[in-house]
Amino acid sequence: MNLREQFDVPVPTIVLAEGEFGETGGKTANGVVMHSEVFDARAVVDTETAGRTPADVLDKPDAPDIPIVASVEQALDEAPEAEALVIGVAPAGGDLPDAWVSDIEDAIRAGCDVVSGLHVFLSEQDRWRDLADEHGVRLFDVRKPPADDDLRVGDGSVDEVDADVVLTLGTDCAVGKRTTTFELYRTARDAGLDASWVATGQTGIMVGAHEGVVVDRVPADFTAGVVEDMVAAVGADHDLVFVEGQASLTHRAYSGVTLSILHGAWPDAVVLADDPDRTGRTHFESFRVDGVEKEARLIEDLSDANVVAVSTWGDPAVERERHDLPVANVYDEGGSTELLTEVREGLGSAPATAGRQDVGDR
């Protein structure tokens, strides 16, 4: 899915983040407010943080100065120019909370397209389709997997892509893979490189990836093929493709999707995201985090790529002492530039993959 092609970007938007703005459960809403190149957030709906500022809630001084209110009705008063509602929270259990129904109805009646990250698909329910048709708006369910006719097993065709492919993987879930991928892409674009990126989760799609799919909704046999198709489509038009990874190869619950992304993207280089203070896995405290060295060794054993740098949450100077790899923190000033420099150097020194060129040679 490429939402850039569906809107006259950036589109003025209301972000529904009920009960989760600034929290892990609201990471999609947080990402859209901070980073989206498709949706220009004009108001946030969250009863828990209403009246505060995004800079305060997100602890980001550069967050946009927009109101946080308690309802879509109030958001429309603050931002009557809004043309879209982004549902940036997916509640546990997957269902649409009853309390959100009137908010979504208000947005549709005001002429807003609805972009949903819910596990249930609004576009497949008559009541929402009928209401959207009545008011001339569109429903986008970003978690919807590709149609069956678009699914295939991986066949190695990604090897023919001329672009350099850089995959961001991690030592655990929720260690900044999407943020690292986006920051590398944005920094590369700012440096004048013909860069693009591929998302494998809903936040990346809403932020504005050039292609994306919520990969955990794709049947396992076809995950590598779907990733191959996205990388090939984006790589046909750009010199440098950054790909968002998921989970980690050492994660007993989710390693299957990680390996499928690695094999589908078949990258020229890998950046490894890591939280050095984490010992137990997020939501799986009984599982231990295995660390940078083991993760990097598995990545290099299971692909032809080298791990060229670590994207850390910690102090880069301290982490460089621990690992025999370049380290940078994209949250530090100049950190994403430093990380991109390491990526470009890694691409320049890596053996050329069949059919590909090195970005440093262009």
Side-chain angles (χ1 to χ4, degrees):
M1 181 178 290
N2 182 351
L3 290 175
R4 294 171 182 265
E5 297 176 346
Q6 304 297 328
F7 292 93
D8 183 10
V9 301
V11 57
T13 298
I14 294 167
V15 178
L16 179 59
E18 179 53 40
E20 295 287 355
F21 192 49
E23 303 295 330
T24 301
K27 65 179 182 179
T28 295
N30 306 339
V32 169
V33 169
M34 287 297 301
H35 295 139
S36 184
E37 297 183 329
V38 175
F39 302 109
D40 180 12
R42 301 292 176 88
V44 175
V45 177
D46 177 28
T47 55
E48 296 294 324
T49 59
R52 295 169 63 187
T53 67
D56 175 33
V57 174
L58 299 174
D59 194 23
K60 302 286 185 185
D62 57 338
D65 185 17
I66 58 176
I68 306 174
V69 296
S71 69
V72 165
E73 182 180 14
Q74 291 178 314
L76 288 165
D77 287 340
E78 295 282 352
E81 72 281 6
E83 298 174 12
L85 173 73
V86 166
I87 303 176
V89 177
D95 291 333
L96 169 63
D98 292 340
W100 296 8
V101 169
S102 61
D103 277 325
I104 299 170
E105 290 176 339
D106 286 344
I108 290 174
R109 292 190 177 107
C112 292
D113 294 325
V114 178
V115 182
S116 172
L118 294 169
H119 293 275
V120 295
F121 299 148
L122 301 183
S123 64
E124 293 183 352
Q125 299 184 7
D126 290 342
R127 66 166 297 180
W128 294 112
R129 281 203 309 264
D130 292 346
L131 187 63
D133 289 344
E134 179 184 347
H135 294 278
V137 304
R138 300 169 296 171
L139 304 174
F140 297 92
D141 291 302
V142 299
R143 285 186 183 270
K144 196 178 246 186
D148 288 349
D149 289 346
D150 294 326
L151 297 176
R152 65 172 182 82
V153 297
D155 60 7
S157 56
V158 72
D159 294 351
E160 302 305 316
V161 174
D162 284 338
D164 284 304
V165 179
V166 179
L167 173 61
T168 303
L169 292 176
T171 54
D172 191 22
C173 301
V175 287
K177 290 182 285 290
R178 196 267 308 163
T179 298
T180 295
T181 305
F182 178 79
E183 292 294 343
L184 282 169
Y185 152 73
R186 182 165 61 178
T187 303
R189 295 286 288 187
D190 289 346
L193 300 178
D194 181 18
S196 57
W197 71 294
V198 168
T200 53
Q202 65 162 356
T203 306
I205 295 171
M206 292 184 181
V207 167
H210 294 85
E211 286 289 347
V213 68
V214 179
V215 76
D216 59 15
R217 298 302 296 264
V218 177
D221 280 357
F222 305 114
T223 302
V226 166
V227 174
E228 273 194 329
D229 285 342
M230 292 192 296
V231 172
V234 175
D237 297 324
H238 300 277
D239 293 338
L240 180 59
V241 182
F242 294 101
V243 182
E244 173 197 20
Q246 297 291 329
S248 76
L249 290 173
T250 55
H251 200 305
R252 289 171 58 186
Y254 301 130
S255 59
V257 72
T258 311
L259 183 60
S260 292
I261 295 171
L262 176 63
H263 283 171
W266 204 244
D268 300 294
V270 171
V271 173
L272 190 57
D274 177 58
D275 175 1
D277 295 328
R278 189 177 304 180
T279 55
R281 295 192 181 277
T282 300
H283 304 306
F284 295 86
E285 288 298 323
S286 63
F287 292 168
R288 304 292 293 177
V289 175
D290 290 292
V292 167
E293 280 70 29
K294 184 172 181 178
E295 198 75 34
R297 184 170 66 252
L298 285 171
I299 291 166
E300 294 181 352
D301 284 347
L302 293 168
S303 74
D304 286 345
N306 293 325
V307 176
V308 298
V310 173
S311 174
T312 185
W313 285 22
D315 182 340
V318 172
E319 296 309 304
R320 287 188 199 105
E321 293 294 321
R322 296 179 58 194
H323 310 299
D324 187 24
L325 284 166
V327 180
N329 187 330
V330 296
Y331 295 103
D332 291 344
E333 184 175 356
S336 57
T337 298
E338 184 177 350
L339 191 62
L340 178 63
T341 298
E342 299 297 346
V343 168
R344 296 184 71 187
E345 289 183 0
L347 287 170
S349 62
T353 301
R356 295 182 183 167
Q357 305 169 21
D358 290 328
V359 69
D361 295 335
R362 290 192 182 92

